[in-house]
């Protein structure tokens, strides 16, 4: 295994919104690029189905928790299908194998003396499902501004504090463990203060919806302890029979998360892993947020959500994937609006890519009986294309999908300019078939290379484009590094690939 990529598992208390769709599409795009580069990839996503938040929404609907999660998970699975997400496994934390594996992990920690019991009083934030000590509250709220309530109860605690120095040391020795650097520094800042132990149980009298603690059946497991373990259980951890080889997959794990859940992933999780004698992730990358026009995080609790499927109905699935990848620079926040999405799709997909395809295929249809003409190669475009493939691969490895797309757009601009300069419509009308053929052939090649490189972002439209220009079968990265591959096959003239969207 070369690359084991995970998304956070989403709470099933509501339908997925653009924020959830973003992380999932981002991981799907990265996974598809790595597959295109010939790497062995495992891509995992799923749903977080226990905890107070989920129990509360079931209650509101007068449903049992099981009925509620079973009905809600379908929204995620169907949305991902419509957004062309191709995961290798979809985990639900209510799956039996996961529950059993979590209990085994708890038992191991209990047997090792890593867990103890204590009366506890603390501030709990239900929307984040996190306990905060009084000193970490700001004006009576969590650092993210969410509501907390005082809770007193007997809890089991994981001895997280004993891993503080080891974790600090690991972060310092592995500069890419937490990325981007800004987020790493936040964690380092947090670790300057003494780290407490982690409450990992809830009495059933307060919350019964969770995995039963194996050494005290009157308690259930804290939802984050259960949820974080999904990354390991999904690929076979603590199971005698699994479809996946945990030992081979685990060492390549890479977690993509939003910056809202950095602390749980960069502190709780590594400490849990150290206690369980498992390798730490290769990287935890926290991306930024999509913000509303008033610069707030788009989130359900703020009532500012846009359904990914509604936007897909307007700009198409490929348009949606393209916009989300193009308009966010990984690690930073980005502004979201329907208008921005439409304008991006119109200017770069309709005007630039789509227009180049229409012009080229229309002229080949008209002057060459819809057959790819034989022609000499334009060495300048050829050179740019070969450089482009290298640059795109490099940008993806460096986690800069927006840069990769920008480079493809600028190559398409260059090709459009080449066409404007030669004016094949004029040249062909005047009878210069040789120059006309050269221009059209090289434009087709530019379209072919671009569509191969765009394939992970726009799997459906890229495939369609490639089919129309006679590149059929498996899409291969090495073909994006070659020029002059298309041979005298047919070119299909069809309706516009990216119709302009009304603003
Ligand atoms: N269930 C936990 C995660 C457990 S992982 C072991 C959870 N779920 S969530 O449903 O709240 O999803 C949070 C994730 O959704 C974020 O980390 C991010 O990936 C994505 N996003 C939610 N809103 C977002 C934005 N406004 N912008 C970008 N991504 C956002 O937390």
């Amino acid at each position: 295994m070369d690359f084991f990529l995970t998304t956070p598992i989403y709470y099933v208390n509501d339908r997925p919104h653009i924020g959830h769709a973003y992380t999932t599409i981002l991981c799907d795009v990265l996974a598809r690029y790595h597959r295109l580069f010939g790497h062995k990839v495992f891509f995992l996503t799923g749903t977080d189905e226990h905890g107070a938040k989920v129990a509360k929404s079931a209650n509101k609907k007068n449903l049992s928790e099981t009925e509620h999660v079973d009905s809600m998970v379908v929204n995620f699975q169907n949305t991902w299908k419509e957004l062309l997400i191709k995961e290798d496994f979809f985990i639900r934390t209510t799956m039996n194998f996961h529950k059993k594996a979590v209990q085994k992990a708890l038992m191991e920690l209990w047997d090792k003396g890593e867990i103890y019991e204590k009366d506890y009083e603390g501030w709990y934030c239900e929307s984040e499902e996190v306990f905060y000590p009084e000193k970490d509250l700001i004006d009576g709220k969590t650092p993210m501004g969410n509501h907390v309530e005082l809770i007193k109860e007997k809890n089991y605690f994981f001895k997280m504090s004993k891993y503080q120095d080891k974790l600090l040391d690991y972060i310092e020795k592995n500069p890419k463990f937490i990325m981007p650097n800004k987020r790493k520094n936040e964690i380092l800042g947090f670790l300057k203060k003494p780290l407490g132990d982690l409450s990992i149980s809830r009495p059933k009298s307060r919350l019964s919806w969770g995995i039963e603690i194996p050494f005290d059946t009157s308690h259930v497991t804290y939802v984050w302890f259960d949820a974080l373990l999904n990354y390991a259980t999904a690929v076979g951890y603590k199971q005698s029979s699994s479809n996946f080889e945990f030992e081979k997959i685990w060492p390549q794990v890479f977690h993509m998360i939003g910056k809202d859940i950095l602390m749980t992933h960069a502190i709780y999780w590594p400490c849990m892993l150290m206690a369980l004698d498992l390798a730490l992730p290769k990287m935890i990358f926290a991306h930024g947020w999509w913000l509303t026009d008033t610069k707030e995080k788009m989130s359900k609790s703020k009532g500012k959500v846009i359904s990914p499927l509604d936007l897909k109905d307007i700009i198409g699935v490929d348009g949606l994937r393209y916009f989300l990848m193009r308009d966010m620079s990984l690690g930073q926040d980005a502004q979201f609006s329907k208008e921005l999405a439409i304008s991006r799709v119109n200017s770069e997909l309709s005007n630039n890519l789509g227009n180049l395809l229409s012009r080229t295929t229309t002229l080949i249809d008209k002057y060459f009986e819809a057959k790819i003409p034989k022609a000499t190669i334009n060495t300048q475009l050829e050179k740019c294309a070969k450089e482009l493939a290298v640059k795109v691969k490099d940008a993806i490895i460096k986690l800069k999908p927006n840069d990769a797309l920008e480079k493809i757009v600028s190559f398409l601009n260059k090709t459009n300019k080449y066409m404007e300069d030669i004016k094949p419509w004029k040249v062909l009308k005047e009878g210069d078939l040789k120059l006309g053929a050269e221009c059209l052939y090289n434009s087709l090649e530019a379209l072919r290379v671009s569509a191969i490189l765009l394939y992970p972002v726009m799997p459906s439209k890229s495939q369609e484009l490639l089919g129309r220009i006679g590149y059929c079968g498996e899409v291969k990265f090495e073909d994006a590094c070659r020029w002059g591959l298309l041979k005298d096959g047919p070119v299909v003239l069809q309706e516009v690939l990216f119709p302009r969207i009304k603003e």
Side-chain angles (χ1 to χ4, degrees):
M1 189 59 55
D2 301 308
F3 192 40
F4 170 28
L5 181 61
T6 69
T7 73
I9 49 170
Y10 307 105
Y11 291 124
V12 281
N13 53 326
D14 221 307
R15 287 168 181 270
H17 65 70
I18 287 283
H20 306 132
Y22 170 69
T23 315
T24 314
I25 291 174
L26 169 66
C27 290
D28 184 68
V29 164
L30 293 174
R32 284 177 184 263
Y33 268 116
H34 280 266
R35 284 189 207 114
L36 188 67
F37 301 150
H39 301 158
K40 267 200 182 156
V41 175
F42 194 99
F43 167 32
L44 174 69
T45 190
T47 41
D48 191 351
E49 304 194 356
H50 292 124
K53 215 157 132 148
V54 173
K56 203 170 177 178
S57 31
N59 211 305
K60 259 195 202 155
K61 291 187 179 163
N62 256 329
L63 292 175
S64 73
E65 286 90 349
T66 307
E67 284 166 342
H68 173 63
V69 297
D70 284 351
S71 69
M72 294 305 288
V73 70
V74 183
N75 296 324
F76 283 83
Q77 288 167 327
N78 289 346
T79 303
W80 296 165
K81 206 177 274 168
E82 289 207 39
L83 299 184
L84 307 177
I85 304 300
K86 215 172 103 188
E87 77 276 5
D88 292 293
F89 189 65
F90 186 102
I91 187 168
R92 302 180 57 187
T93 52
T94 47
M95 284 170 164
N96 256 331
F97 76 83
H98 170 76
K99 293 197 274 187
K100 284 198 184 128
V102 168
Q103 288 181 322
K104 282 189 188 160
L106 280 165
M107 215 53 224
E108 180 183 324
L109 295 179
W110 177 250
D111 289 342
K112 282 178 168 170
E114 296 277 344
I115 292 175
Y116 64 94
E117 193 189 346
K118 185 176 94 171
D119 281 327
Y120 181 70
E121 184 175 313
W123 296 91
Y124 196 65
C125 169
E126 195 179 276
S127 87
E128 294 167 36
E129 299 268 23
V130 168
F131 264 118
Y132 283 95
E134 181 116 25
K135 66 175 173 52
D136 289 348
L137 298 180
I138 302 170
D139 295 333
K141 294 197 165 168
T142 73
M144 273 199 275
N146 291 318
H147 174 76
V148 285
E149 59 186 313
L150 187 64
I151 282 177
K152 290 182 198 178
E153 61 195 22
K154 185 184 95 172
N155 277 182
Y156 287 94
F157 279 76
F158 161 52
K159 294 181 183 167
M160 186 161 77
S161 56
K162 78 182 230 203
Y163 294 98
Q164 175 159 10
D165 291 342
K166 219 171 144 187
L167 178 58
L168 260 171
D169 189 54
Y170 190 87
I171 297 173
E172 266 147 22
K173 288 198 175 117
N174 295 274
K176 297 223 153 150
F177 174 53
I178 302 169
M179 288 290 279
N181 279 332
K182 192 174 168 199
R183 303 289 160 228
K184 176 172 73 184
N185 293 335
E186 261 174 44
I187 293 295
L188 286 174
F190 189 84
L191 286 172
K192 279 198 181 119
K193 291 183 275 177
L195 189 62
D197 287 341
L198 181 67
S199 156
I200 52 143
S201 75
R202 301 287 176 264
K204 279 191 187 167
S205 53
R206 181 162 74 80
L207 174 74
S208 61
W209 182 236
I211 301 175
E212 198 168 82
I213 297 276
F215 44 84
D216 183 343
T217 54
S218 66
H219 280 68
V220 293
T221 312
Y222 168 44
V223 64
W224 271 103
F225 189 92
D226 153 3
L228 287 162
L229 274 165
N230 94 84
Y231 298 132
T233 64
V235 289
Y237 180 56
K238 296 258 185 231
Q239 289 145 74
S240 45
S241 76
S242 160
N243 289 335
F244 310 120
E245 286 182 278
F246 178 69
E247 280 73 22
K248 286 201 178 137
I249 302 176
W250 183 252
Q252 302 307 329
V253 65
F254 177 122
H255 300 307
M256 181 61 76
I257 56 169
K259 64 180 180 181
D260 45 332
I261 53 174
L262 179 66
M263 192 177 66
T264 47
H265 281 79
I267 295 181
Y268 298 3
W269 183 225
C271 292
M272 286 166 65
L273 289 169
M274 288 192 269
L276 289 164
D277 293 316
L278 289 176
L280 266 48
K282 290 208 107 162
M283 192 188 287
I284 300 165
F285 193 103
H287 66 67
W289 287 334
W290 286 96
L291 306 176
T292 62
D293 45 5
T294 50
K295 302 256 184 299
E296 282 174 282
K297 178 193 177 208
M298 284 199 348
S299 76
K300 176 68 183 47
S301 52
K302 306 244 161 54
K304 303 257 186 188
V305 279
I306 296 181
S307 147
L309 295 185
D310 287 349
L311 188 58
K312 174 199 149 233
D313 287 344
I314 304 171
I315 60 175
V317 59
D318 298 87
L320 173 63
R321 291 171 62 106
Y322 183 82
F323 163 68
L324 292 176
M325 293 305 103
R326 177 79 168 100
D327 276 48
M328 186 179 274
S329 162
L330 259 194
Q332 285 162 30
D333 292 341
Q335 201 187 324
F336 181 89
S337 83
K338 193 174 86 183
E339 291 69 31
L340 283 173
I342 293 178
S343 126
R344 182 63 86 183
V345 168
N346 278 344
S347 68
E348 292 180 358
L349 299 182
S350 305
N351 293 359
N352 195 350
L353 175 62
N355 202 18
L356 182 65
L357 175 73
S358 296
R359 293 211 277 195
T360 313
T361 48
T362 308
L363 289 172
I364 294 181
D365 184 68
K366 187 166 172 192
Y367 289 99
F368 298 96
E369 294 166 348
K371 275 178 87 187
I372 298 172
K374 284 206 172 44
T376 32
I377 275 170
N378 178 301
T379 47
Q380 234 185 331
L381 271 187
E382 176 185 23
K383 186 168 166 272
C384 290
K386 287 184 175 163
E387 282 169 6
L388 177 70
V390 175
K391 282 186 200 156
V392 166
K393 185 169 179 182
D394 189 53
I396 294 302
I397 305 280
K398 288 190 177 135
L399 296 167
K400 294 185 171 174
N402 61 324
D403 276 3
L405 294 180
E406 196 195 323
K407 299 212 154 71
I408 299 171
V409 170
S410 104
F411 175 66
L412 287 165
N413 278 333
K414 206 168 276 169
T415 311
N416 267 315
K417 166 94 178 30
Y418 160 73
M419 213 177 211
E420 294 290 341
D421 288 347
I422 295 187
K423 299 189 179 49
W425 46 91
K426 187 163 170 265
V427 164
L428 286 165
K429 209 170 173 184
E430 290 165 2
D432 189 345
L433 285 184
K434 187 165 177 284
L435 184 58
E438 180 183 323
C439 179
L440 296 179
Y441 182 78
N442 286 284
S443 301
L444 270 191
E445 278 292 285
L447 281 163
R448 182 185 61 76
V449 168
S450 304
I452 293 177
L453 296 174
L454 283 169
Y455 179 63
V457 179
M458 301 197 291
S460 141
K461 292 283 183 184
S462 302
Q463 188 104 59
E464 195 178 327
L465 190 163
L466 288 166
R468 287 190 195 182
I469 62 171
Y471 178 93
C472 301
E474 195 194 339
V475 179
K476 293 195 196 118
F477 178 70
E478 68 228 45
D479 288 346
C481 310
R482 294 163 69 194
W483 197 257
L485 205 70
L486 292 172
K487 296 276 172 301
D488 50 10
V491 160
V492 185
L493 187 64
Q494 268 174 359
E495 74 275 17
V496 173
L497 191 64
F498 293 100
R500 260 192 87 78
I501 297 149
K502 286 204 186 78
E503 287 173 48

